């Protein structure tokens, strides 16, 4: 096993270092964030930093840089207070990656990448039609992270649009069946292969596999 | 496509709602956080909320609840200022999941789950020997999120221990070759299958596949 110490890290060339550090957190979610500005020009940008913050209230966070190529997303969210998050699927991940190119604000990433905007009445931001699991959010708070000048943007989920077949009896959504992809590092995309779902862990109890539909049967329990 | 609106969300039973909302962010990273307390009792807990915050300085964040089953992790980090993050691999993901059981502080999850603590001189927290990619952090900041009482814990990476074969020429670490797993929802574990690595996106330029080793050859560019 290689041991990279603090001194090694400090002396790495910056691009090499960015690749190393971006690989450390594990697999990242792949999501497109849809917004429009006050002139109703749509914007779409891929983010690998969307994460679950809480179920009640239903909160999702993501990290952005104030001066990065994704600044249009941040500006639009500040203006309209609304945005959509759209899981990236295997059929359009290249178009999703292309949204990270540094397009000027007047250019629409939907048009540039061939993705289709999808409007829902009452929701003040565009969805991505091609995405099989997407939701709308209202901005709650932007928390500055002084350590490196990034921002944590927190939204509350108001509406979810999802292929109904993927929603299992206990509420679990089978995002693997929707061909949702993940990201590793800065530029690698991956599909997934389920190992299994497992029971809530308790001290001194063995884990039990639970079926995909979430309905635990006695027969499965008694196998253990 | 099913449309779940705000009213539907509010009226969902809380466990069902937790499953739904936890499925929305996409695939989550699977990491074990290793700490010890001032009495040098080791603690180990699985987290699905570890995320990349920045490469320079090298910062990683995770979300914790002050009153959750993972409170020992938070208490220990506050006491010692040090912790390790260890990617969960396919060979020990069940033991990793079992660390989420509500063990008392005096009990050590390493012993309870059969995972092996691995100490490195000068690093004030235990690694997980079984993990093929792990790193040590020093606490930088704990940011309270008032919206739901969770905390964002930010650490600076000081040391990385990794199977050298997985580190590619450009710094990308092939975490798929390390059999790192991901999580969906609350309880589903997944291995991955790489689609490909792709080039940095630029306006009006087609994406190019880049080989796993990161060395882009002219022959690949000319295929496009």
């Amino acid at each position: 096993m290689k041991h990279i110490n603090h001194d090694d890290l400090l002396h790495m060339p910056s691009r090499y270092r960015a690749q190393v550090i971006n690989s450390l957190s594990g697999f990242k979610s792949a999501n497109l964030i849809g917004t429009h500005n006050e002139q109703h020009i749509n914007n779409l940008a891929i983010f690998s930093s969307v994460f679950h913050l809480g179920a009640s209230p239903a909160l999702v966070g993501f990290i952005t840089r104030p001066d990065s190529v994704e600044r249009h997303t941040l500006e639009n969210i500040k203006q309209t207070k609304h945005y959509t998050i759209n899981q990236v699927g295997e059929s359009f991940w290249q178009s999703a990656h292309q949204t990270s190119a540094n397009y000027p604000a007047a250019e629409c990433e939907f048009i540039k990448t061939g993705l289709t905007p999808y409007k829902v009445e009452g929701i003040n931001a565009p969805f991505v039609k091609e995405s099989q699991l997407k939701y709308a959010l209202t901005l709650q708070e932007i928390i500055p992270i002084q350590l490196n000048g990034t921002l944590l943007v927190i939204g509350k989920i108001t509406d979810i649009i999802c292929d109904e077949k993927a929603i299992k009896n206990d509420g679990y959504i089978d995002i693997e069946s929707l061909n949702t992809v993940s990201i590793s590092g800065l530029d690698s995309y991956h599909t997934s292969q389920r190992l299994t779902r497992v029971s809530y862990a308790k001290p001194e109890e063995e884990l039990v596999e639970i079926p995909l539909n979430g309905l635990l049967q006695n027969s499965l329990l008694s196998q253990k």
Side-chain angles (χ1 to χ4, degrees), chain A:
Chain A
M1 298 280 269
K2 186 174 174 67
H3 185 150
I4 299 169
N5 67 25
H6 195 233
D7 210 47
D8 300 329
L9 271 174
L10 283 179
H11 291 94
M12 276 180 188
S14 69
R15 284 191 179 193
Y16 186 96
R17 179 190 172 96
Q19 286 284 2
V20 169
I21 303 299
N22 268 281
S23 301
L24 296 187
S25 55
F27 288 100
K28 304 173 183 183
S29 60
N31 289 285
L32 284 163
I33 299 189
T35 56
H36 63 62
N37 64 14
E38 284 170 338
Q39 291 75 45
H40 283 259
I41 297 173
N42 286 334
N43 188 274
L44 194 63
I46 192 164
F47 282 82
S48 63
S49 63
V50 169
F51 61 92
H52 174 80
L53 247 180
S56 184
L59 300 175
V60 166
F62 73 94
I63 302 294
T64 184
R65 283 184 287 170
D67 56 349
S68 76
V69 293
E70 293 103 7
R71 67 185 178 280
H72 304 146
T73 299
L74 181 64
E75 274 313 305
N76 292 353
I77 292 174
K78 284 181 179 173
Q79 284 176 23
T80 68
K81 314 294 182 202
H82 290 96
Y83 52 111
T84 69
I85 296 184
N86 308 264
Q87 288 192 2
V88 175
E90 190 181 351
S91 66
F92 62 97
W93 68 270
Q94 291 99 331
S95 301
H97 184 79
Q98 184 61 32
T99 64
S100 63
N102 192 12
Y103 295 107
E107 292 205 279
C108 169
E109 287 83 3
F110 281 102
I111 295 166
K112 288 292 171 184
T113 64
L115 292 167
T116 315
Y118 175 72
K119 287 290 290 175
V120 172
E121 207 183 306
I123 294 177
N124 204 14
F127 290 101
V128 176
K129 189 176 179 203
E130 288 79 0
S131 174
Q132 299 298 299
L133 173 46
K134 47 205 173 201
Y135 45 105
L137 303 100
T138 304
L139 176 65
Q140 299 295 295
E141 194 176 0
I142 298 177
I143 300 177
I145 297 172
Q146 308 292 351
L147 286 162
N148 65 354
T150 56
L151 302 163
L152 166 55
V153 180
I154 303 177
K156 186 173 172 181
I157 296 161
T158 60
D159 295 79
I160 304 170
I161 298 174
C162 180
D163 181 346
E164 189 158 11
K165 288 195 303 292
I167 307 174
K168 302 303 168 191
N169 300 64
D170 63 345
Y172 172 76
I173 303 178
D174 181 6
I175 65 173
E176 183 162 290
S177 75
L178 302 177
N179 300 311
T180 295
V181 300
S182 65
I183 297 174
S184 70
L186 288 164
D187 54 29
S188 185
Y189 288 80
H190 306 257
T191 57
S192 69
Q193 181 78 45
R194 177 173 289 102
L195 291 157
T196 182
R197 293 185 65 188
V198 282
S199 55
Y200 187 84
K202 294 177 184 173
E204 318 308 333
E205 275 189 28
E206 251 191 273
L207 289 179
V208 178
E209 286 189 19
I210 53 181
L212 182 53
N213 66 12
L215 299 176
L216 201 57
Q217 286 163 12
N218 288 334
S219 59
L220 270 164
L221 280 163
S222 63
Q223 283 171 15
K224 294 269 162 174

